[in-house]
Amino acid sequence: MDDSEISTHDAEEDIRNRDIMIYVNGEIVPRAEAKISVYDSGFMLGDGMWEGMRLYQGKWAFFDEHMDRLFDSCKAVSLNIGMDRQGVLDALTQTAEANGMTHDVHCRLMITRGVKSKPFQHPNLSKSGPTIVIIMEHSKPAAHLQAKGISLATVPQVRGLPMSQDAKYNSHSKLNCVIACLQAEQAGADEGLMLDPHGFVNTTNACNFFIVRKGEVWTSTGDYCMNGVTRQKVIDLCKANNIPVFQKNYSLVEAYGAEEAFLTGTFGAQTPVARIDGKKIGPHDGTGPMTARLQSLYRELVAQNTQP
């Protein structure tokens, strides 16, 4: 595998995913039959919210935190999910049972404003209620990411101000991030490192970003990035284990000079960064000691949270 084929969402191949069952608006159907209308507001406009979640030992990790984000985001854009948290959990449970899935499972839960009566923008044209889709796959992050790390390229696309499109929305409207990903690919990197509107280091197109300097863990202020569940868990673990952690503005100069850098996300947990803009980060190949320590603490936290 060459560098151009690496991403933070690389997963070990699992042929069982060819025949998964997918939840679509209360029905669970084979993958080949899982379809929505071309009039769906998510397809037409990216008008919807989603959550990425992982199933361990038959239990969803940090379910409450994911539901907090989902329901807050949907409320903010006046998107009525049509069910409460228990209803969402029941739908997730039904889908997992239909697939015989209990562990190392990744889920994408998607809620859109639903089918429109006409192909135009106004939300009131979505009259039939929300579209709810749940895709679950057997999914383990690829082992080579830990040994090799990924490369980042600083891209011109930024995460914008909250009054343009607040980055805290986990929305279907991901073109901003897709453009950043394309820019990184064109620069020969695996992901794009995105700055905030003031030029400070912010996030990547798919994950939250951390650096390690002299025993301290730094990440952005969180003002212009998705406030990821895994991001917050890493911050909390640092505080609980006497690891100095700072949410602050910092520049590329400080990122280039870091001893370690890593990404956080629900799928990959903590993924080491090997290079930024062609510059090797720190003396380590792959996972550095602080990243490894946080990975271990995070695994313990997941195990505690998902005890049967």
Side-chain angles (χ1 to χ4, degrees):
M1 175 176 290
D2 62 41
D3 286 353
S4 65
E5 296 174 317
I6 296 174
S7 89
T8 52
H9 293 107
D10 279 356
E12 304 292 350
E13 182 68 23
D14 195 318
I15 62 172
R16 292 175 294 177
N17 292 328
R18 299 174 187 173
D19 299 310
I20 55 173
M21 304 291 286
I22 295 175
Y23 179 104
V24 182
N25 290 331
E27 296 184 14
I28 298 178
V29 299
R31 175 174 178 164
E33 299 173 21
K35 298 179 174 69
I36 62 168
S37 169
V38 294
Y39 277 77
D40 191 85
S41 55
F43 175 75
M44 282 192 171
L45 298 166
D47 183 5
M49 298 292 169
W50 63 277
E51 285 294 321
M53 304 169 63
R54 288 192 69 79
L55 185 68
Y56 300 97
Q57 307 297 342
K59 188 172 180 181
W60 295 101
F62 313 121
F63 176 79
D64 289 338
E65 290 88 337
H66 282 285
M67 291 301 101
D68 286 345
R69 183 168 66 186
L70 176 65
F71 277 82
D72 284 352
S73 296
C74 288
K75 180 179 180 181
V77 298
S78 301
L79 199 171
N80 182 4
I81 297 176
M83 61 176 69
D84 59 14
R85 293 178 184 223
Q86 184 60 49
V88 173
L89 181 58
D90 290 345
L92 291 167
T93 301
Q94 292 166 19
T95 309
E97 289 177 349
N99 285 287
M101 293 176 172
T102 59
H103 189 66
D104 280 334
V105 174
H106 195 78
C107 165
R108 194 175 184 99
L109 165 65
M110 295 172 281
I111 318 284
T112 79
R113 205 176 299 274
V115 178
K116 290 185 166 296
S117 58
K118 296 180 181 180
F120 301 114
Q121 182 187 89
H122 201 292
N124 286 345
L125 293 171
S126 301
K127 301 180 183 298
S128 62
T131 296
I132 301 176
V133 174
I134 300 172
I135 300 174
M136 293 183 187
E137 293 186 336
H138 301 279
S139 183
K140 293 178 66 175
H144 68 263
L145 294 178
Q146 299 302 320
K148 188 172 185 178
I150 69 162
S151 65
L152 304 180
T154 308
V155 297
Q157 193 78 5
V158 302
R159 293 291 182 100
L161 294 164
M163 63 278 237
S164 54
Q165 181 172 319
D166 198 323
K168 295 179 179 63
Y169 287 132
N170 210 14
S171 74
H172 282 223
S173 307
K174 302 297 288 184
L175 185 59
N176 174 262
C177 300
V178 171
I179 292 170
C181 187
L182 289 169
Q183 291 169 341
E185 182 181 57
Q186 289 154 7
D190 305 318
E191 279 200 16
L193 182 59
M194 303 177 75
L195 307 180
D196 71 19
H198 308 289
F200 295 111
V201 174
N202 187 13
T203 184
T204 75
N205 57 271
C207 299
N208 290 121
F209 178 74
F210 287 75
I211 62 173
V212 180
R213 289 181 60 91
K214 299 181 180 179
E216 298 177 348
V217 176
W218 294 9
T219 192
S220 68
T221 63
D223 293 333
Y224 306 103
C225 70
M226 166 57 62
N227 288 180
V229 172
T230 310
R231 173 186 187 271
Q232 187 60 51
K233 295 304 176 185
V234 167
I235 293 168
D236 294 343
L237 285 169
C238 287
K239 292 178 179 178
N241 290 276
N242 298 314
I243 299 170
V245 60
F246 299 93
Q247 297 177 71
K248 59 182 288 184
N249 288 325
Y250 62 95
S251 68
L252 282 168
V253 172
E254 292 156 306
Y256 294 149
E259 289 94 55
E260 299 176 47
F262 61 91
L263 309 183
T264 62
T266 298
F267 173 75
Q270 296 81 35
T271 303
V273 173
R275 296 181 182 277
I276 303 174
D277 296 332
K279 300 172 176 61
K280 189 174 188 297
I281 303 302
H284 314 286
D285 293 320
T287 305
M290 179 65 80
T291 306
R293 183 182 178 192
L294 289 169
Q295 288 173 332
S296 178
L297 290 169
Y298 183 77
R299 284 193 294 268
E300 293 172 8
L301 182 66
V302 168
Q304 293 167 10
N305 186 257
T306 57
Q307 289 179 345

